[in-house]
């Protein structure tokens, strides 16, 4: 890993207004935008529509497509634990229950900024062996970083409560 930044949230946002009220919502670094995306995704099962609204804010000029909404549904329906797995303290053994306050670390590799105005940031899941990517795009006119692709939602080890071999 290259550089990393850790973000702390006392509570996770449940709607776009709460998300936009967070200091990270300035979106002036790809680290902040990535952390907010994972925080927003934790709300998916509780309120899918509100989560879509938060992600639309984080995606900037290109809202979620029908394909992206279906992709999220395929990856997260019945597997909400994946989103929480990226927060400190969440492991398969504790059914991916993160420590509070919620802390998430976003990192880079030497290749994270290979293309101008693009970044690939990495988050580590307590249920995966290697960091997972999130692709972002910078809007030069505002200097803000927006989500392009949430690539970190492939399967991880199942929580202990769902593992017949645990």
């Amino acid at each position: 890993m290259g550089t990393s930044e850790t973000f702390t949230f006392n509570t996770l946002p449940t709607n776009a207004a709460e998300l936009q009220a967070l200091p990270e919502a300035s979106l002036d670094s790809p680290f902040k935008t990535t952390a907010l995306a994972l925080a927003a995704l934790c709300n998916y099962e509780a309120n899918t529509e509100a989560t879509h609204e938060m992600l639309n804010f984080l995606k900037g000029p290109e809202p979620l497509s029908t394909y992206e909404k279906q992709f999220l549904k395929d990856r997260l329906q019945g597997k909400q634990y994946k989103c929480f797995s990226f927060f400190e303290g969440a492991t398969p053994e504790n059914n991916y229950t993160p420590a509070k306050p919620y802390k998430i670390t976003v990192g880079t590799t030497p290749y994270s900024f290979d293309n101008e105005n693009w970044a690939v940031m990495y988050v580590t899941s307590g249920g995966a062996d290697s960091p997972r990517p999130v692709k972002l795009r910078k809007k030069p006119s505002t200097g803000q970083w927006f989500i392009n692709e949430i690539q970190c939602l492939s399967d991880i080890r199942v929580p202990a409560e769902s593992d017949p071999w645990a």
Side-chain angles (χ1 to χ4, degrees), residues 1 34 105-109 111-112 120-124 131-134:
M1 277 282 226
T34 302
T105 300
V106 179
T108 63
T109 69
Y111 310 103
S112 285
V120 180
M121 308 306 283
Y122 290 87
V123 287
T124 301
R132 303 284 177 92
V134 177

Side-chain angles (χ1 to χ4, degrees), residues 89-99 159-160:
T91 64
E93 293 74 28
N94 68 10
N95 300 311
Y96 297 110
T97 305

Side-chain angles (χ1 to χ4, degrees), residues 19 39 45-46 67 77 110 117 129 138:
L19 180 86
E45 266 182 2
Y67 169 81
Q77 195 161 27
N117 296 322
D129 295 327
K138 185 179 184 180

